[in-house]
């Protein structure tokens, strides 16, 4: 058995389903396999900033019931970059040394940080400055963390969005309406694209593919002409207005996306005389019981992270690639933002299913497919997209 260690674990950034399953996996593996002690740190780095540091020792029996539960029982925060921490008087101060001191006060040998690319970048900076032995685990419903094919929370969010779309088909058909479903995802359209395909949406709009309202109207009219008088449109929250404006909710210091569904509803009903309704899924996509896939991923990531500590492999992040868990330097893992590839498999799949992505190319492909007489240039585009 490896030398006894005392490790810490924290969740940072927005919550999502599957975080508790990671904490459980880390705790079980560290205690049952290695005989170590595990401390759960409250509210991300805020717990290490507090005096005394806010952390609880975790036990196997205590964490087991959390396997399925959404959220994070350790608490988390999206506020307060420790290198420019907002104080009550409005000033920003560097509190990084307090966090580093908190880690050492707890007598930790290593720290597992579960976060998105922003949180992991901050944790890595702290680790390098303060000699923290850090291992990262990627989580975010947006699924936009660099190298990993999957992040914790994404699958549950897609399941929730898909179920909502499934439900909306019936009411949309009953009233001959265009139902617009606004989903989260920040600047990446992964949730919209995945849930839209899984839920049989007719229109999917993502930030990575510019759209024209006339193309969407054309698609709705075409469906009506084909005898389908309702449509389901899924739109990602960071899709812009046709003129390129980003729609934000309220006047807050941080950017809170939301409202593109309402914009589309108003524009489409004005332009095509269809009745529209909007459903904004919001934070429902982060809650509830985590999907089996997220629990499996969380368990695999948690065990792999503990194994990395056992091998003294620090400054690394676990990732999912080629049907297995691997690890890469955190810096490599977060250096590239992972948006939807407009030439990728799922975009091709959506086009192949006749789903309108709001762009001219999609409609041309669709028309060409229907008339079965694609011009040479277009035929090439169909093959290469
Ligand atoms: O990054 C995850 C995410 O859920 C985004 O999809 C969304 O835009 C944002 O967080 C919402 O953040 P908040 O919980 O601060 O409103």
């Amino acid at each position: 058995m490896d030398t006894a260690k005392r490790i810490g674990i924290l969740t940072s950034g927005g919550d999502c389903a599957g975080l508790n399953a990671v904490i459980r996996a880390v705790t079980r593996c560290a205690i049952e396999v290695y005989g170590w002690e595990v401390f759960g740190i409250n509210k991300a780095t805020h717990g290490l900033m507090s005096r005394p540091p806010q952390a609880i020792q975790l036990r196997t029996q205590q964490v087991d019931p959390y396997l399925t539960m959404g959220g994070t029982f350790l608490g988390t925060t999206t506020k307060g970059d420790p290198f420019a921490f907002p104080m009550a008087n409005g000033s920003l101060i560097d509190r990084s040394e307090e966090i580093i001191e908190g880690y050492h006060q707890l007598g930790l040998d290593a720290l597992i940080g579960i976060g998105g690319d922003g949180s992991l970048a901050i944790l890595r900076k702290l680790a390098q400055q303060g000699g923290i032995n850090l291992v990262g685990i990627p989580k975010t419903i947006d699924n936009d963390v660099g190298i990993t094919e999957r992040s914790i929370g994404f699958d549950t969010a897609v399941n929730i969005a898909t179920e909502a779309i499934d439900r909306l088909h019936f009411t949309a058909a009953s009233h001959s309406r265009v139902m617009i479903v606004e989903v989260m995802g920040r600047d990446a359209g992964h949730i919209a694209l995945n849930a839209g395909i899984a839920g049989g949406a007719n229109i999917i709009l993502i930030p990575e593919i510019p759209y024209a309202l006339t193309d969407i109207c054309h698609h709705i009219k075409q469906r009506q002409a084909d005898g389908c008088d309702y449509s389901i449109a899924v739109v990602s929250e960071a899709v812009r207005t046709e003129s390129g404006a980003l729609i934000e909710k309220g006047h807050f210091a941080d950017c809170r996306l939301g409202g593109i569904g309402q914009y589309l509803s108003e524009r489409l009903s004005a332009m095509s005389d269809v009745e529209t309704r909007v459903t904004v899924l919001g934070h429902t996509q982060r809650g509830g019981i985590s999907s089996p896939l997220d629990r499996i991923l969380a368990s695999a990531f948690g065990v792999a992270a503990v194994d990395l500590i056992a091998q003294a492999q620090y400054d690394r992040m676990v990732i999912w690639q080629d049907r297995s868990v691997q690890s890469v330097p955190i810096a490599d893992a977060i250096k590239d933002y992972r948006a939807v590839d407009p030439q990728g498999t799922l975009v091709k799949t959506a086009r192949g299913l006749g789903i309108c992505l709001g762009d001219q190319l999609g409609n041309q492909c669709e028309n060409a497919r229907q008339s079965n007489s694609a011009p040479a240039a277009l035929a090439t585009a169909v093959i290469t997209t």
Side-chain angles (χ1 to χ4, degrees):
M1 183 168 295
D2 192 65
T3 323
K5 287 192 196 309
R6 172 182 281 216
I7 66 169
I9 180 166
L10 59 77
T11 48
S12 182
D15 75 305
C16 62
L19 293 175
N20 287 325
V22 180
I23 300 164
R24 170 185 178 268
V26 165
T27 305
R28 285 193 73 91
C29 184
I31 295 174
E32 304 296 328
V33 177
Y34 292 102
W36 299 345
E37 291 179 324
V38 183
F39 283 80
I41 294 156
N42 297 130
K43 289 207 171 300
T45 49
H46 288 203
L48 293 174
M49 215 182 264
S50 304
R51 290 296 173 271
Q54 296 298 298
I56 44 166
Q57 184 162 8
L58 302 176
R59 317 245 178 230
T60 304
Q61 294 78 1
Q62 177 196 0
V63 293
D64 272 348
Y66 288 110
L67 173 62
T68 59
M69 201 185 289
T72 161
F73 77 91
L74 293 178
T76 185
T77 180
T78 52
K79 303 211 164 25
D81 172 358
F83 294 94
F85 195 86
M87 302 303 283
N89 65 5
S91 63
L92 296 176
I93 65 164
D94 183 350
R95 299 189 65 181
S96 55
E97 280 304 326
E98 294 169 58
I99 293 168
I100 291 162
E101 193 186 296
Y103 167 86
H104 292 296
Q105 272 188 19
L106 285 174
L108 299 176
D109 296 301
L111 177 68
I112 293 177
I114 314 168
D117 51 1
S119 296
L120 289 170
I122 288 174
L123 289 173
R124 180 165 192 267
K125 202 168 157 190
L126 288 165
Q128 296 207 310
Q129 180 178 319
I132 295 174
N133 293 323
L134 178 68
V135 170
I137 297 181
K139 67 87 210 166
T140 167
I141 65 166
D142 306 338
N143 208 33
D144 55 1
V145 176
I147 293 177
T148 188
E149 287 166 4
R150 290 194 162 270
S151 295
I152 306 286
F154 174 62
D155 185 64
T156 304
V158 170
N159 284 354
I160 292 166
T162 303
E163 190 193 331
I165 298 166
D166 291 346
R167 288 169 188 267
L168 288 169
H169 274 281
F170 303 108
T171 176
S174 303
H175 288 270
S176 306
R177 286 172 170 161
V178 174
M179 303 299 277
I180 298 163
V181 190
E182 183 179 307
V183 299
M184 281 186 166
R186 211 78 208 172
D187 299 313
H190 297 293
I191 296 177
L193 187 57
N194 281 265
I197 290 172
N202 312 106
I203 299 150
I204 302 175
L205 302 181
I206 58 175
E208 295 85 348
I209 298 181
Y211 69 93
L213 286 165
T214 48
D215 285 348
I216 301 169
C217 291
H218 168 82
H219 189 79
I220 292 168
K221 292 277 173 218
Q222 192 61 53
R223 278 177 55 77
Q224 288 172 338
D226 290 345
C228 280
D229 59 1
Y230 82 94
S231 292
I232 304 281
V234 182
V235 59
S236 196
E237 60 181 358
V239 166
R240 291 169 183 255
T241 65
E242 208 178 22
S243 58
L246 192 65
I247 305 184
E248 292 180 31
K249 276 185 286 195
H251 301 282
F252 301 101
D254 54 339
C255 164
R256 299 185 197 172
L257 297 171
I260 186 65
Q262 187 58 32
Y263 163 84
L264 288 171
S265 166
E266 288 164 17
R267 298 298 299 126
L268 291 177
S269 58
M271 287 172 69
S272 64
D273 199 26
V274 288
E275 197 181 0
T276 58
R277 291 290 187 274
V278 184
T279 303
V280 180
L281 296 184
H283 290 81
T284 61
Q285 294 156 99
R286 299 212 316 224
I289 290 179
S290 60
S291 71
L293 182 54
D294 267 332
R295 289 181 226 167
I296 293 164
L297 192 66
S299 301
F301 277 174
V303 167
V306 172
D307 286 342
L308 282 176
I309 294 173
Q311 295 151 18
Q313 288 196 51
Y314 303 122
D315 196 21
R316 297 186 76 78
M317 187 179 90
V318 294
I319 59 166
W320 188 260
Q321 227 173 34
D322 301 331
R323 300 164 78 100
S324 64
V325 179
Q326 302 177 16
S327 79
V328 292
I330 295 177
D332 292 350
I334 62 176
K335 77 171 186 301
D336 295 320
Y337 182 76
R338 184 170 171 267
V340 169
D341 175 3
Q343 312 301 327
T345 295
L346 288 190
V347 171
K348 285 184 195 170
T349 302
R351 292 198 196 286
L353 292 169
I355 296 171
C356 170
L357 299 178
D359 59 339
Q360 192 58 31
L361 175 65
N363 275 339
Q364 283 174 346
C365 294
E366 189 187 332
N367 294 341
R369 193 174 278 111
Q370 277 174 15
S371 66
N372 205 16
S373 60
L378 189 55
T380 307
V382 173
I383 291 164
T384 53
T385 56

